[in-house]
Amino acid sequence: MSFKHTKRRYFNPQKLSDVRYEKLPFCMRVLLESTIRKCDGFYIKTDDVSSILAWQKQQNQAEVAFSPARVLLQDFTGIPAMVDLAAMRDALAKQGVDPNLVNPRCPTDLIVDHSLQIDYKMELIRNKERLQFFKWCSKAFKNINVVPPDINTVHQLNLEYLCQVVQEGEGFIYPDSVVGTDSHTTMINGLGILGWGVGGIESEAVMLGQPVSLTLPQVVGCKLVGTINPLATSIDIVLGITKHLRQAGIGGKFVEFFGPGVQQLSAPDRTTIANMCPEYNATVSFFPVDDITLQHFKHTSTDHTEKLVVLEDYLKAIKLFRSYGDQSEEPQYSEMNLSSIVPHVSGPKRPQDRVAVTCMKEDFINCLNEKVGFKGFHISKEKQATQVPFLHEGAEYNLAHGSVVIAAVISCTNNCNPSVMLAAGLLAKKAVEAGLMVKPYIRTSLVPGGGTVTHYLNTSGVLPYLRKLGFEVVGYGCATCVGNTAPLPESVVDAIKQGDLVACGVLSGNRHLEGRLCDCVRANYLASPPLVVAYAIAGTVSIDLETEPLGVNSEGKDVYLRDIWPSKEEVNHTEENIVIASMFKELRSRMEVTFWNSLESAESALFPWDPKSTYIRCPSFFSKLSKEVCTPQSIEGAYPLLFLGDKVTTDHISPAGSIARVSAAAKYLQSKRLTPREFNSYGARRGNDAVMTRGTFASIKLQNRLIGKTGPKTLHIPSGQTLDVFEAAERYQRDGVPLIILAGKEYGSGSSRDWAAKGPYLLGVRAVIAESFEKIHWNHLVGMGIAPLQFLPGQNADSLELCGKERFTINIPQELIPRQQLIMSTGKSFSVMALFENDMDVAFFRHGGILKYVARSLLP
């Protein structure tokens, strides 16, 4: 179909089944549209379309293929991915194929973010090599957008610069969607863009045109109703919703928000909630596009006309635009009442002790009464009314239990969501206009988490009012949280000691252990930035902010918190209309003015590998590349390289930290005349297969049953020698002996890491036999042509009486099928399950992995 006034074509899934389509959650509609548009009968089949349309019956059962609109890479995962593509170009060029045919098929954004910036400014050669490689990639490959350093972090750029909501390509418009190697990729769901995190090899597969395979998920609806408490900040809302979803038990599911309460959440609120997916173990938390999303894009887009008109018309045409006024055929979802969310502070000694602001005065009095402990101070009843007069700058004041003497507004935990800092500034503005002030003896400070915070406080015009209340910008860094507080006035300290007072500090940071802010300040509370300002004005925490005034204005009239608290509408208006528009304008100017443009790089289709480089090296994945595809051969006479136990993580398999001086990788780097201080880390050297292969199983915490102790060693079984894992593997490969790995439960758990599969492949490992696998890691093994084999239920290496020194033969039939049981023998035979999920997994295994599969498809 097409819009007549825009002449843009699109697929309309409603034409397949209008009734079934309207019953689908919005996130499932995005999956369906992609599946219809990409259906080719090979990668994505009509059965995938049928399964999604029958979502309610097929959820948690059917496997479907999904082709996202784009891929998001950060620099640490981007290096090995792009090195692989550069190596593929070399291999194909040697076969007479035009190397320019090798490009990402799925549009890919690669962000060179903060992990490289500081080192480059110090002009260290290690980062210059990598940056020049990225610069070459940006010119040599099509469909790759490299965002240079010094701009922003990957997840912020995804929100602020890269997201489109509606993409255009191949003559069609379609919904934006993304898979990314950044753990914060899920933030994008707050803007109505479906996205989640994947591993490095999975992202490479998508770049090369392969769809993501996923089990059709359950979708848990979260209906937001009620009205948000006027004093509740974005932090309160996010933490309240997170707590609710954690208690709901939604592990591995999609969450979709709906209901009238959603309209009270700004776009930054939604992205922050979506970012909290790991906290409640959901895959995504999806907010469909609505009027608030459109308003956000009007303020952040440079094109306010045709593109936004197309976006709205298109989403409404295929019913991906959410109208909360129309509740027809609304699915039955779980419900959460936003009225139940109330503002909290934490304290007075531990961050986990939350106190509702409405109960603050009562709770503080209880703390005075309780015995000394996690909350108590054990102040006798007759001393709780003690007041101590003192002089400060020629004026007399009184201190009492609960008096605030430190008030610090800190934004390090609030950088991605400006609303709470703006709320503090707007409250300060109204307080000054109402004639309220902060007592001068209170040690006030404003510590923004970065220059961006100062920029938006200035742009919105609230910074001068914060200054009038004493909240001056004192710098950028860790301050009050870690005890870097300026000394209190001597008269204040003397008064506290004279009356043995429980004086208070209030701050918006994340740490507040007793005595940390100042040794004479015993009660410390974590609060949102606007509440910090409010308690500073009140001068005490022993106050009921609902019924007692903060102070008296020049006319002698009581001023209550409700009189100066900015409404959520005020905050959202300032945020969207002034702050965000200004921030995005600044971001685009930084994109245009950068040293990146002056960085030199090669002008060639093939990358000029530097044989002296220890950071960028052509990997050997494509050695002996030919058009012929061998039927998988049985694995005969394999020795176990390692015999491992339960919960072997990707950190055990492929460490990302520092390179030990006695490791195989260190020996290699020393042979290149590098000193230990120049080794850097495994993470930084992901573009060098020689380092990463030697670093495979180099963890000092590796427990290998073949040697009976902890360390990166193994037994070379034929000789009986204990060697570095790499040295043993090298000797086996030299002798033409295939290798396997024996393991227990949850092999490959932990962070997704591509070299945890690439490394074993280059060591010569043909199969891993374990009791169970972490799913992403077993997909990575398949992607590298390693067979993930699982012991049958009730069996393991011990029950089968395996000692790990046997020679193993694995019979692989010519017509291998998914989930087939294979026969293994060591003199006695037993069965294992081949964890190939579908025909594509089998094809990857037959070709020796996804990289060779794609390379062979380009051979004549």
Side-chain angles (χ1 to χ4, degrees):
M1 298 183 66
S2 65
F3 296 118
K4 291 182 180 179
H5 65 287
T6 61
K7 297 181 180 179
R8 286 173 169 87
R9 297 184 300 161
Y10 65 96
F11 287 90
N12 191 343
Q14 297 175 86
K15 298 299 180 181
L16 292 179
S17 175
D18 192 60
V19 175
R20 286 194 292 172
Y21 180 76
E22 290 185 356
K23 291 182 178 180
L24 289 176
F26 281 63
C27 54
M28 289 295 102
R29 298 179 192 184
V30 176
L31 282 180
L32 179 62
E33 189 281 338
S34 171
T35 306
I36 294 170
R37 178 167 38 85
K38 291 290 187 176
C39 185
D40 58 4
F42 182 65
Y43 292 127
I44 299 179
K45 302 176 181 179
T46 54
D47 287 347
D48 295 321
V49 176
S50 300
S51 294
I52 297 174
L53 276 172
W55 163 75
Q56 288 184 314
K57 295 180 180 178
Q58 295 290 329
Q59 56 186 312
N60 281 345
Q61 298 180 31
E63 285 279 330
V64 297
F66 169 57
S67 288
R70 56 190 175 92
V71 175
L72 181 70
L73 302 175
Q74 39 93 334
D75 46 3
F76 266 19
T77 50
I79 278 275
M82 299 314 298
V83 164
D84 289 347
L85 292 190
M88 188 185 296
R89 281 194 167 190
D90 275 20
L92 289 170
K94 291 175 183 177
Q95 300 283 338
V97 177
D98 181 3
N100 290 299
L101 294 176
V102 178
N103 291 290
R105 296 179 182 175
C106 181
T108 300
D109 296 303
L110 194 162
I111 318 302
V112 187
D113 65 356
H114 60 287
S115 61
L116 291 178
Q117 290 173 16
I118 294 174
D119 283 348
Y120 185 82
K121 289 178 179 177
M122 293 170 61
E123 297 184 345
L124 296 181
I125 188 67
R126 61 192 186 187
N127 278 341
K128 189 173 183 181
E129 289 180 53
R130 287 180 284 170
L131 290 176
Q132 287 176 326
F133 174 72
F134 282 136
K135 184 66 178 287
W136 172 80
C137 291
S138 69
K139 295 188 293 184
F141 290 104
K142 298 177 182 177
N143 247 2
I144 182 83
N145 171 41
V146 178
V147 178
D150 271 340
I151 304 299
N152 212 331
T153 53
V154 55
H155 53 281
Q156 287 298 114
L157 277 169
N158 193 27
L159 289 173
E160 298 169 359
Y161 186 74
L162 301 173
C163 66
Q164 299 293 320
V165 180
V166 173
Q167 295 276 7
E168 186 168 3
E170 299 177 349
F172 292 91
I173 57 173
Y174 49 90
D176 192 7
S177 56
V178 61
V179 293
T181 57
D182 176 60
S183 59
H184 299 284
T185 302
T186 54
M187 291 181 82
I188 205 68
N189 292 279
L191 298 179
I193 298 168
L194 189 64
W196 61 87
V198 295
I201 293 175
E202 206 170 3
S203 67
E204 283 190 54
V206 178
M207 288 171 64
L208 294 170
Q210 313 302 310
V212 176
S213 178
L214 74 156
T215 302
L216 204 59
Q218 278 186 274
V219 181
V220 177
C222 185
K223 184 175 184 178
L224 302 182
V225 298
T227 303
I228 297 172
N229 186 306
L231 298 185
T233 66
S234 295
I235 295 174
D236 297 310
I237 296 166
V238 170
L239 293 180
I241 291 174
T242 298
K243 179 182 178 181
H244 173 81
L245 292 174
R246 189 187 292 123
Q247 294 171 344
I250 54 171
K253 301 173 184 176
F254 282 21
V255 176
E256 185 166 298
F257 290 89
F258 70 111
V262 176
Q263 292 178 294
Q264 299 175 63
L265 302 179
S266 68
D269 289 342
R270 299 176 188 191
T271 58
T272 308
I273 292 167
N275 187 44
M276 295 293 281
C277 277
E279 294 296 321
Y280 42 85
N281 206 25
T283 302
V284 300
S285 285
F286 191 74
F287 288 84
V289 175
D290 62 3
D291 288 325
I292 290 174
T293 319
L294 282 184
Q295 191 70 18
H296 174 78
F297 279 103
K298 286 177 183 177
H299 295 139
T300 59
S301 175
T302 55
D303 183 357
H304 291 194
T305 53
E306 184 184 11
K307 187 173 182 180
L308 292 174
V309 170
V310 171
L311 185 155
E312 183 174 0
D313 287 351
Y314 167 65
L315 293 179
K316 287 180 177 179
I318 64 169
K319 295 191 175 179
L320 277 177
F321 188 89
R322 176 63 107 161
S323 173
Y324 293 101
D326 181 11
Q327 298 184 18
S328 61
E329 299 187 31
E330 195 138 272
Q332 295 298 309
Y333 282 147
S334 63
E335 183 172 303
M336 181 180 181
N337 195 323
L338 292 175
S339 303
S340 65
I341 298 175
V342 296
H344 283 76
V345 297
S346 294
K349 299 183 181 183
R350 305 187 304 174
Q352 61 264 47
D353 296 325
R354 299 181 73 210
V355 183
V357 171
T358 53
C359 304
M360 181 64 164
K361 183 174 183 178
E362 179 186 357
D363 187 81
F364 181 74
I365 293 172
N366 290 337
C367 290
L368 294 180
N369 291 323
E370 288 182 19
K371 293 180 179 180
V372 174
F374 291 134
K375 293 195 70 171
F377 298 102
H378 198 55
I379 304 297
S380 61
K381 292 278 188 182
E382 61 271 16
K383 292 185 177 181
Q384 289 182 15
T386 299
Q387 291 200 18
V388 180
F390 69 98
L391 289 175
H392 177 73
E393 296 179 352
E396 184 174 311
Y397 301 93
N398 287 299
L399 284 185
H401 293 292
S403 290
V404 174
V405 294
I406 296 174
V409 174
I410 303 166
S411 76
C412 57
T413 54
N414 305 303
N415 284 341
C416 71
N417 191 335
S419 62
V420 286
M421 291 296 288
L422 287 174
L426 290 170
L427 185 143
K429 179 176 183 291
K430 291 188 172 189
V432 170
E433 291 171 346
L436 299 180
M437 295 299 292
V438 174
K439 295 179 177 66
Y441 62 81
I442 297 176
R443 186 63 70 195
T444 51
S445 60
L446 172 58
V447 185
T452 300
V453 181
T454 304
H455 171 78
Y456 67 64
L457 291 176
N458 252 325
T459 302
S460 59
V462 299
L463 192 57
Y465 296 96
L466 285 165
R467 287 176 178 148
K468 286 183 179 180
L469 294 182
F471 290 96
E472 292 276 0
V473 175
V474 298
Y476 305 96
C478 292
T480 310
C481 288
V482 295
N484 293 337
T485 304
L488 295 176
E490 286 187 18
S491 57
V492 172
V493 175
D494 291 342
I496 293 171
K497 291 179 178 179
Q498 179 185 335
D500 190 27
L501 299 177
V502 179
C504 298
V506 187
L507 67 154
S508 61
N510 59 6
R511 298 180 185 139
H512 68 337
L513 299 178
E514 184 178 10
R516 171 173 275 189
L517 305 191
C518 181
D519 57 7
C520 65
V521 180
R522 286 189 273 172
N524 299 299
Y525 289 91
L526 298 181
S528 66
L531 281 177
V532 172
V533 177
Y535 280 116
I537 294 170
T540 180
V541 299
S542 186
I543 180 175
D544 185 333
L545 292 176
E546 286 191 337
T547 61
E548 298 179 53
L550 288 178
V552 179
N553 65 16
S554 57
E555 299 174 355
K557 182 181 178 181
D558 288 341
V559 180
Y560 293 84
L561 180 61
R562 59 178 174 269
D563 298 327
I564 63 171
W565 189 271
S567 68
K568 192 160 181 63
E569 291 74 23
E570 287 178 87
V571 174
N572 289 349
H573 175 79
T574 305
E575 183 179 27
E576 288 288 345
N577 291 276
I578 300 174
V579 174
I580 289 180
S582 172
M583 289 169 61
F584 278 67
K585 183 178 180 181
E586 183 198 25
L587 172 65
R588 291 188 185 92
S589 68
R590 291 169 64 195
M591 293 289 290
E592 295 167 3
V593 182
T594 172
F595 73 89
W596 181 257
N597 296 328
S598 61
L599 188 66
E600 295 181 358
S601 65
E603 301 279 349
S604 58
L606 299 177
F607 183 70
W609 307 98
D610 181 357
K612 296 180 182 179
S613 174
T614 56
Y615 280 94
I616 307 294
R617 185 175 184 270
C618 186
S620 56
F621 297 132
F622 302 99
S623 60
K624 301 178 182 178
L625 180 68
S626 64
K627 184 69 175 178
E628 292 74 27
V629 181
C630 298
T631 301
Q633 300 294 312
S634 294
I635 301 171
E636 298 183 356
Y639 274 121
L641 178 63
L642 298 157
F643 187 7
L644 305 172
D646 296 339
K647 297 184 179 180
V648 174
T649 70
T650 51
D651 280 317
H652 292 117
I653 304 169
S654 183
S658 59
I659 298 172
R661 295 189 179 195
V662 295
S663 65
K667 295 174 187 176
Y668 167 79
L669 293 173
Q670 286 170 336
S671 74
K672 299 293 183 180
R673 299 185 178 181
L674 296 184
T675 62
R677 68 181 299 273
E678 297 173 303
F679 286 174
N680 210 331
S681 66
Y682 286 112
R685 294 190 179 275
R686 289 184 182 182
N688 186 322
D689 65 312
V691 173
M692 297 307 294
T693 306
R694 287 165 173 81
T696 303
F697 296 110
S699 170
I700 60 173
K701 297 181 180 180
L702 187 72
Q703 294 185 345
N704 180 10
R705 293 172 63 177
L706 289 178
I707 59 172
K709 61 181 180 181
T710 302
K713 302 284 185 179
T714 195
L715 180 69
H716 181 255
I717 298 170
S719 68
Q721 290 181 280
T722 298
L723 304 171
D724 286 333
V725 174
F726 174 78
E727 292 174 4
E730 194 174 39
R731 190 176 295 186
Y732 280 123
Q733 290 195 73
R734 192 164 55 238
D735 296 338
V737 177
L739 296 171
I740 64 169
I741 291 171
L742 296 173
K745 300 182 181 72
E746 299 179 39
Y747 181 81
S749 57
S751 301
S752 170
R753 196 159 290 164
D754 56 346
W755 273 105
K758 290 178 176 178
Y761 171 83
L762 292 177
L763 289 177
V765 174
R766 295 283 308 282
V768 178
I769 302 96
E771 289 183 68
S772 64
F773 292 82
E774 200 283 328
K775 191 174 189 300
I776 290 180
H777 183 65
W778 110 46
N779 286 336
H780 281 184
L781 293 175
V782 172
M784 289 309 302
I786 298 174
L789 307 177
Q790 186 168 304
F791 290 111
L792 297 184
Q795 294 184 348
N796 56 33
D798 292 331
S799 68
L800 294 170
E801 299 180 345
L802 301 176
C803 70
K805 297 180 182 179
E806 301 91 344
R807 299 198 75 166
F808 291 77
T809 294
I810 306 172
N811 295 311
I812 300 176
Q814 291 188 355
E815 299 299 326
L816 184 64
I817 60 175
R819 289 281 176 175
Q820 185 170 355
Q821 288 192 16
L822 306 180
I823 303 297
M824 288 186 67
S825 60
T826 61
K828 58 181 178 181
S829 298
F830 57 93
S831 296
V832 291
M833 176 73 73
L835 297 182
F836 301 121
E837 288 289 290
N838 47 48
D839 292 338
M840 285 307 306
D841 283 356
V842 174
F844 294 157
F845 179 66
R846 290 180 64 235
H847 284 264
I850 174 70
L851 296 174
K852 287 186 177 178
Y853 175 86
V854 174
R856 284 197 177 97
S857 70
L858 296 173
L859 290 174

Short mmCIF file of all heavy atoms in Angstrom, two decimals, residues 690-724:
data_model
loop_
_atom_site.label_atom_id
_atom_site.label_comp_id
_atom_site.label_asym_id
_atom_site.label_seq_id
_atom_site.Cartn_x
_atom_site.Cartn_y
_atom_site.Cartn_z
N ALA A 690 45.43 -13.55 17.62
CA ALA A 690 46.55 -14.23 18.26
C ALA A 690 46.52 -14.03 19.77
O ALA A 690 46.80 -14.96 20.54
CB ALA A 690 47.87 -13.72 17.68
N VAL A 691 46.18 -12.83 20.21
CA VAL A 691 46.07 -12.56 21.64
C VAL A 691 44.84 -13.25 22.22
O VAL A 691 44.91 -13.90 23.27
CB VAL A 691 45.99 -11.04 21.91
CG1 VAL A 691 45.70 -10.77 23.39
CG2 VAL A 691 47.29 -10.36 21.51
N MET A 692 43.71 -13.13 21.52
CA MET A 692 42.46 -13.65 22.06
C MET A 692 42.44 -15.18 22.11
O MET A 692 41.85 -15.77 23.02
CB MET A 692 41.27 -13.13 21.25
CG MET A 692 41.13 -11.61 21.30
SD MET A 692 41.07 -10.94 22.99
CE MET A 692 39.52 -11.63 23.56
N THR A 693 43.06 -15.84 21.14
CA THR A 693 43.13 -17.29 21.17
C THR A 693 43.99 -17.75 22.34
O THR A 693 43.64 -18.71 23.06
CB THR A 693 43.71 -17.84 19.86
OG1 THR A 693 42.94 -17.32 18.76
CG2 THR A 693 43.65 -19.36 19.82
N ARG A 694 45.10 -17.07 22.56
CA ARG A 694 45.96 -17.41 23.69
C ARG A 694 45.29 -17.07 25.02
O ARG A 694 45.63 -17.65 26.06
CB ARG A 694 47.30 -16.67 23.57
CG ARG A 694 48.20 -17.25 22.49
CD ARG A 694 49.35 -16.31 22.13
NE ARG A 694 50.30 -16.94 21.22
CZ ARG A 694 50.13 -17.03 19.90
NH1 ARG A 694 49.03 -16.53 19.35
NH2 ARG A 694 51.04 -17.61 19.15
N GLY A 695 44.35 -16.13 24.97
CA GLY A 695 43.63 -15.76 26.19
C GLY A 695 42.44 -16.64 26.48
O GLY A 695 41.81 -16.52 27.54
N THR A 696 42.11 -17.56 25.57
CA THR A 696 40.96 -18.44 25.78
C THR A 696 41.27 -19.44 26.89
O THR A 696 42.32 -20.08 26.89
CB THR A 696 40.62 -19.17 24.48
OG1 THR A 696 40.36 -18.20 23.45
CG2 THR A 696 39.38 -20.04 24.66
N PHE A 697 40.39 -19.54 27.84
CA PHE A 697 40.55 -20.36 29.05
C PHE A 697 41.79 -19.94 29.84
O PHE A 697 42.43 -20.77 30.49
CB PHE A 697 40.63 -21.85 28.69
CG PHE A 697 39.38 -22.39 28.06
CD1 PHE A 697 39.35 -22.75 26.72
CD2 PHE A 697 38.21 -22.51 28.80
CE1 PHE A 697 38.18 -23.22 26.12
CE2 PHE A 697 37.03 -22.98 28.21
CZ PHE A 697 37.02 -23.34 26.87
N ALA A 698 42.10 -18.64 29.83
CA ALA A 698 43.27 -18.13 30.56
C ALA A 698 42.90 -17.60 31.94
O ALA A 698 43.72 -16.99 32.61
CB ALA A 698 43.95 -17.02 29.75
N SER A 699 41.67 -17.84 32.38
CA SER A 699 41.24 -17.36 33.69
C SER A 699 41.97 -18.09 34.81
O SER A 699 42.08 -19.32 34.81
CB SER A 699 39.73 -17.55 33.86
OG SER A 699 39.34 -17.30 35.19
N ILE A 700 42.44 -17.32 35.79
CA ILE A 700 43.12 -17.93 36.94
C ILE A 700 42.13 -18.67 37.84
O ILE A 700 42.54 -19.43 38.72
CB ILE A 700 43.87 -16.87 37.77
CG1 ILE A 700 42.89 -15.80 38.29
CG2 ILE A 700 44.98 -16.23 36.94
CD1 ILE A 700 43.53 -14.80 39.25
N LYS A 701 40.82 -18.47 37.60
CA LYS A 701 39.80 -19.15 38.40
C LYS A 701 39.25 -20.40 37.72
O LYS A 701 38.31 -21.02 38.22
CB LYS A 701 38.65 -18.17 38.70
CG LYS A 701 39.07 -16.98 39.54
CD LYS A 701 37.90 -16.06 39.83
CE LYS A 701 38.33 -14.86 40.67
NZ LYS A 701 37.20 -13.96 40.96
N LEU A 702 39.82 -20.78 36.59
CA LEU A 702 39.35 -21.95 35.86
C LEU A 702 39.66 -23.22 36.66
O LEU A 702 40.79 -23.44 37.09
CB LEU A 702 40.03 -22.03 34.50
CG LEU A 702 39.53 -23.11 33.54
CD1 LEU A 702 38.15 -22.74 33.02
CD2 LEU A 702 40.50 -23.29 32.38
N GLN A 703 38.65 -24.05 36.86
CA GLN A 703 38.83 -25.31 37.59
C GLN A 703 38.71 -26.47 36.60
O GLN A 703 37.64 -26.80 36.14
CB GLN A 703 37.80 -25.45 38.71
CG GLN A 703 37.98 -24.42 39.80
CD GLN A 703 37.04 -24.63 40.98
OE1 GLN A 703 36.07 -25.36 40.89
NE2 GLN A 703 37.33 -23.96 42.08
N ASN A 704 39.86 -27.05 36.28
CA ASN A 704 39.96 -28.12 35.28
C ASN A 704 40.22 -29.44 35.99
O ASN A 704 41.26 -29.62 36.64
CB ASN A 704 41.10 -27.79 34.30
CG ASN A 704 41.26 -28.84 33.23
OD1 ASN A 704 40.44 -29.74 33.08
ND2 ASN A 704 42.35 -28.74 32.47
N ARG A 705 39.29 -30.36 35.87
CA ARG A 705 39.41 -31.63 36.59
C ARG A 705 40.56 -32.50 36.06
O ARG A 705 40.99 -33.43 36.73
CB ARG A 705 38.07 -32.39 36.49
CG ARG A 705 36.95 -31.68 37.24
CD ARG A 705 35.58 -32.31 36.99
NE ARG A 705 35.52 -33.69 37.47
CZ ARG A 705 34.42 -34.43 37.42
NH1 ARG A 705 33.30 -33.93 36.90
NH2 ARG A 705 34.44 -35.67 37.87
N LEU A 706 41.07 -32.17 34.88
CA LEU A 706 42.20 -32.96 34.35
C LEU A 706 43.48 -32.73 35.14
O LEU A 706 44.37 -33.58 35.15
CB LEU A 706 42.44 -32.60 32.87
CG LEU A 706 41.40 -33.09 31.87
CD1 LEU A 706 41.76 -32.62 30.46
CD2 LEU A 706 41.27 -34.61 31.90
N ILE A 707 43.58 -31.56 35.79
CA ILE A 707 44.80 -31.30 36.57
C ILE A 707 44.51 -31.17 38.06
O ILE A 707 45.43 -31.14 38.87
CB ILE A 707 45.53 -30.03 36.07
CG1 ILE A 707 44.61 -28.80 36.17
CG2 ILE A 707 46.02 -30.21 34.66
CD1 ILE A 707 45.33 -27.49 35.88
N GLY A 708 43.23 -31.09 38.43
CA GLY A 708 42.85 -31.11 39.84
C GLY A 708 43.15 -29.86 40.62
O GLY A 708 43.18 -29.90 41.86
N LYS A 709 43.40 -28.74 39.98
CA LYS A 709 43.63 -27.49 40.70
C LYS A 709 43.20 -26.32 39.82
O LYS A 709 42.97 -26.46 38.61
CB LYS A 709 45.09 -27.34 41.11
CG LYS A 709 46.08 -27.33 39.96
CD LYS A 709 47.51 -27.21 40.48
CE LYS A 709 48.53 -27.19 39.34
NZ LYS A 709 49.92 -27.09 39.84
N THR A 710 43.11 -25.14 40.46
CA THR A 710 42.64 -23.94 39.77
C THR A 710 43.77 -23.29 38.98
O THR A 710 44.90 -23.19 39.46
CB THR A 710 42.08 -22.93 40.79
OG1 THR A 710 41.02 -23.55 41.52
CG2 THR A 710 41.55 -21.69 40.09
N GLY A 711 43.44 -22.83 37.76
CA GLY A 711 44.42 -22.13 36.95
C GLY A 711 44.24 -22.40 35.48
O GLY A 711 43.55 -23.35 35.09
N PRO A 712 44.88 -21.60 34.62
CA PRO A 712 44.72 -21.72 33.15
C PRO A 712 45.63 -22.78 32.55
O PRO A 712 46.36 -22.52 31.59
CB PRO A 712 45.07 -20.32 32.66
CG PRO A 712 46.09 -19.84 33.64
CD PRO A 712 45.71 -20.42 34.97
N LYS A 713 45.60 -23.98 33.11
CA LYS A 713 46.44 -25.07 32.65
C LYS A 713 45.58 -26.27 32.30
O LYS A 713 44.43 -26.38 32.74
CB LYS A 713 47.45 -25.48 33.73
CG LYS A 713 48.37 -24.37 34.23
CD LYS A 713 49.46 -24.06 33.23
CE LYS A 713 50.45 -23.04 33.80
NZ LYS A 713 51.55 -22.74 32.85
N THR A 714 46.16 -27.19 31.53
CA THR A 714 45.48 -28.45 31.25
C THR A 714 46.50 -29.55 31.03
O THR A 714 47.72 -29.30 30.95
CB THR A 714 44.56 -28.32 30.02
OG1 THR A 714 43.66 -29.43 29.99
CG2 THR A 714 45.37 -28.27 28.71
N LEU A 715 45.98 -30.76 30.94
CA LEU A 715 46.84 -31.92 30.74
C LEU A 715 46.89 -32.27 29.25
O LEU A 715 45.84 -32.46 28.62
CB LEU A 715 46.28 -33.11 31.53
CG LEU A 715 47.06 -34.42 31.43
CD1 LEU A 715 48.41 -34.30 32.14
CD2 LEU A 715 46.25 -35.57 32.03
N HIS A 716 48.11 -32.32 28.70
CA HIS A 716 48.26 -32.87 27.35
C HIS A 716 48.30 -34.38 27.52
O HIS A 716 49.32 -34.95 27.93
CB HIS A 716 49.53 -32.34 26.69
CG HIS A 716 49.73 -32.85 25.30
ND1 HIS A 716 50.65 -33.83 24.99
CD2 HIS A 716 49.10 -32.54 24.14
CE1 HIS A 716 50.59 -34.10 23.70
NE2 HIS A 716 49.66 -33.32 23.15
N ILE A 717 47.18 -35.02 27.25
CA ILE A 717 46.98 -36.41 27.65
C ILE A 717 48.01 -37.36 27.04
O ILE A 717 48.57 -38.22 27.74
CB ILE A 717 45.53 -36.85 27.32
CG1 ILE A 717 44.54 -35.99 28.13
CG2 ILE A 717 45.32 -38.34 27.60
CD1 ILE A 717 43.10 -36.15 27.74
N PRO A 718 48.35 -37.28 25.75
CA PRO A 718 49.33 -38.24 25.19
C PRO A 718 50.69 -38.19 25.88
O PRO A 718 51.32 -39.23 26.10
CB PRO A 718 49.45 -37.80 23.73
CG PRO A 718 48.16 -37.12 23.43
CD PRO A 718 47.78 -36.42 24.69
N SER A 719 51.15 -36.98 26.26
CA SER A 719 52.48 -36.88 26.86
C SER A 719 52.45 -36.87 28.38
O SER A 719 53.48 -37.06 29.03
CB SER A 719 53.18 -35.61 26.37
OG SER A 719 52.52 -34.45 26.89
N GLY A 720 51.26 -36.58 28.96
CA GLY A 720 51.15 -36.48 30.40
C GLY A 720 51.68 -35.17 30.96
O GLY A 720 51.78 -35.00 32.17
N GLN A 721 52.00 -34.20 30.10
CA GLN A 721 52.53 -32.92 30.55
C GLN A 721 51.41 -31.93 30.87
O GLN A 721 50.37 -31.92 30.22
CB GLN A 721 53.42 -32.30 29.47
CG GLN A 721 54.74 -33.01 29.23
CD GLN A 721 55.55 -32.29 28.15
OE1 GLN A 721 55.29 -32.45 26.96
NE2 GLN A 721 56.51 -31.49 28.57
N THR A 722 51.64 -31.11 31.90
CA THR A 722 50.74 -30.01 32.22
C THR A 722 51.24 -28.76 31.50
O THR A 722 52.38 -28.33 31.71
CB THR A 722 50.68 -29.76 33.73
OG1 THR A 722 50.16 -30.94 34.37
CG2 THR A 722 49.77 -28.58 34.06
N LEU A 723 50.37 -28.18 30.65
CA LEU A 723 50.76 -27.06 29.81
C LEU A 723 49.72 -25.95 29.90
O LEU A 723 48.60 -26.16 30.38
CB LEU A 723 50.88 -27.50 28.34
CG LEU A 723 51.83 -28.66 28.01
CD1 LEU A 723 51.62 -29.08 26.56
CD2 LEU A 723 53.27 -28.24 28.26
N ASP A 724 50.11 -24.74 29.41
CA ASP A 724 49.09 -23.71 29.17
C ASP A 724 48.06 -24.29 28.21
O ASP A 724 48.40 -25.09 27.32
CB ASP A 724 49.72 -22.46 28.53
CG ASP A 724 50.52 -21.65 29.52
OD1 ASP A 724 50.21 -21.71 30.72
OD2 ASP A 724 51.46 -20.95 29.08
#
